């Protein structure tokens, strides 16, 4: 099982990440990849830029722990999680979660599981700068909490 | 000595990212998250708001912690609002 | 809503497909991509090559119809489905399903929905050539039927 | 005239990918999938096996069809085993 967790300012190359995920086993039959992008508006306001703050050290620990839990639930060959920090523009890539498994159900479920926990546990915070100059911290969404709770039933 | 970190909105509200507390500031022989919160809340209304907020999260040595979690000399404690990454 | 359906011998570039999916809306916040790969063994036998046969014309119609049903269930910005035919080697890419939406739950669910229907309705057939020279048609899997039935409840 | 296609294992078993039937072969004025199956099954044991198999799928003009689906002059009918793509 190969686990890669990267947190930093650098962008990522989805094609290269997919090839890397596929390379870990000749029994890999299913790769599921999630890419989160910055949207150009939120709550009715145009958003010009976004700044992502995190808790260095804890973010990597937290994501690695989430990936470990996913491994215990599903048979996986490889997992890659990349999360960007710093200043981002609309349509920039923010987050990548890629999973390789023998069968697609395991790949879909584990990828969604990792995203649901990342959204609710990993210490990242978004601050938006809107078109009218307002700077505001993005509020956590109740729907993300609900999405995570599904996995605990 | 313990280190206390604040992130995101809390860092801005309190105007500080990091404070250090010694045995002179707080009893570190039987400290918990709850005791640290109570001590910091005495610094003023803003501090009280941040530390009393129901959804304030706390990590001790980079692991999620509850009010009962013990804190010892050398620990790193962080307070932060609900996360919004991904 | 942009829909691309491609069936043919040509390989595909996951990175390029991801960029294309992202380009259709500045409100796209979530891309989910599934890539199906050829495994090097099946039912305990080493597999040397695989040949994919299809029903030209009907495959494209069928996949387009599946994508239309997905669009009716979830708000999507773009969907791309690519399926290869002809002779493939282990680790070759077989199928790509990529979906772009505002929110990740819609992207995950619609991507999995499309794969589950594609696996059980689209007229493709796999023939394996094993290490010992046997040529055999791959049997349909009961688990794929079950996966599809979830969406009908 | 109608065109009948066979795919994959069925194409190999029957040794043919495509046959054409005219009004001389089958009554095309009130033809259905069931009637076509019955007519083709008369060609021999292999044909009977393929067409009677519970999981044999049929498409008429590239849409999934059932036994009651009508077939008219000019239609393209296909018989095939459960699909295994993806």
């Amino acid at each position: 099982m190969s686990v890669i967790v990267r947190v930093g300012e650098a962008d990522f190359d989805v094609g290269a990440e997919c090839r890397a995920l596929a390379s870990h086993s000749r029994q890999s039959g299913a790769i599921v990849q999630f890419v989160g992008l910055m949207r150009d508006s939120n709550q009715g306001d145009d958003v010009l830029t976004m700044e992502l703050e995190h808790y260095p050290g804890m973010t990597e620990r937290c994501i690695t722990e989430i990936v470990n839990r996913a491994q215990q639930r599903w048979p996986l060959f490889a997992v890659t999680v990349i999360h960007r920090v710093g200043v981002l523009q609309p349509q920039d890539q923010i987050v990548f979660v890629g999973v390789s498994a023998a069968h697609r159900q395991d790949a879909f479920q584990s990828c969604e599981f990792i995203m649901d926990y990342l959204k609710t546990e990993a210490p990242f915070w978004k601050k938006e700068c809107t078109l009218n100059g307002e700077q505001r911290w993005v509020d956590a969404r109740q729907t993300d909490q609900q999405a995570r709770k599904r996995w605990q039933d | 000595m313990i280190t206390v970190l604040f992130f995101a909105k809390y860092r801005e509200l309190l105007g500080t990212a990091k404070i250090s507390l010694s045995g002179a500031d707080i009893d570190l022989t039987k400290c918990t998250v709850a005791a640290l919160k109570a001590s910091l809340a005495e610094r003023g209304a803003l501090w009280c708001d941040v530390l009393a907020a129901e959804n304030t999260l706390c990590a001790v040595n980079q692991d999620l912690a509850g009010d009962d979690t013990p804190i010892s000399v050398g620990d790193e404690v962080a307070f932060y609002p609900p996360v919004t990454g991904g």
Side-chain angles (χ1 to χ4, degrees), chain A, chain B:
Chain A
M1 169 75 187
S2 152
V3 177
I4 294 171
V5 175
R6 279 208 303 274
V7 178
E9 298 200 356
D11 199 3
F12 49 84
D13 175 337
V14 171
E17 297 305 335
C18 184
R19 284 188 293 277
L21 284 165
S23 70
H24 289 288
S25 171
R26 290 172 64 82
Q27 273 295 289
S28 171
I31 291 175
V32 171
Q33 301 187 124
F34 175 83
V35 179
L37 303 169
M38 181 179 157
R39 297 162 63 205
D40 72 349
S41 72
N42 191 21
Q43 298 182 304
D45 296 306
D46 291 331
V47 179
L48 288 184
T49 61
M50 195 169 71
E51 187 162 2
L52 261 151
E53 177 172 335
H54 74 129
Y55 182 174
M58 183 169 171
T59 36
E60 293 84 347
R61 267 174 76 102
C62 179
I63 294 169
T64 303
E65 168 61 24
I66 293 167
V67 172
N68 288 344
R69 273 181 266 160
Q71 273 183 259
Q72 282 158 24
R73 276 178 89 138
W74 296 279
L76 307 176
F77 295 127
V79 177
T80 300
V81 179
I82 305 170
H83 202 299
R84 297 178 71 190
V85 295
V87 176
L88 298 177
Q89 316 294 327
Q91 294 192 284
D92 276 354
Q93 301 184 131
I94 302 172
V95 59
F96 175 91
V97 176
V99 170
S100 154
H103 301 293
R104 75 183 184 289
Q105 286 90 350
D106 296 331
F108 271 112
Q109 288 199 40
S110 57
C111 187
E112 202 169 2
F113 173 95
I114 292 168
M115 269 308 299
D116 286 345
Y117 276 89
L118 187 152
K119 285 286 253 187
T120 50
E121 294 192 350
F124 293 98
W125 303 274
K126 286 174 181 158
K127 190 181 196 176
E128 295 174 339
C129 178
T130 67
L131 185 60
N132 58 30
E134 187 194 359
Q135 297 219 346
R136 62 186 186 193
W137 292 97
V138 172
D139 283 326
R141 287 157 41 113
Q142 191 60 35
T143 52
D144 287 326
Q145 292 292 338
Q146 288 158 357
R148 195 206 57 198
K149 288 209 179 86
R150 289 181 299 160
W151 303 105
Q152 297 168 318
D153 295 339
Chain B
M1 273 273 281
I2 60 169
T3 304
V4 185
L5 307 174
F6 301 96
F7 288 97
K9 191 194 279 184
Y10 294 173
R11 176 178 49 72
E12 287 190 348
L13 276 171
L14 303 178
T16 184
K18 178 178 180 175
I19 58 176
S20 296
L21 299 178
S22 69
D25 302 302
I26 185 169
D27 181 358
L28 292 175
T29 60
K30 52 185 177 62
C31 189
T32 61
V33 168
L36 175 61
K37 280 181 171 180
S39 168
L40 291 171
E42 291 169 11
R43 298 189 172 210
L46 270 175
W47 292 75
C48 189
D49 287 350
V50 161
L51 294 159
E54 205 190 342
N55 57 11
T56 291
L57 296 166
C58 178
V60 175
N61 296 328
Q62 305 189 356
D63 277 324
L64 267 178
D67 277 347
D68 297 337
T69 304
I71 296 172
S72 312
V73 172
D75 282 354
E76 174 180 290
V77 184
F79 292 105
Y80 51 82
V83 303
T84 57

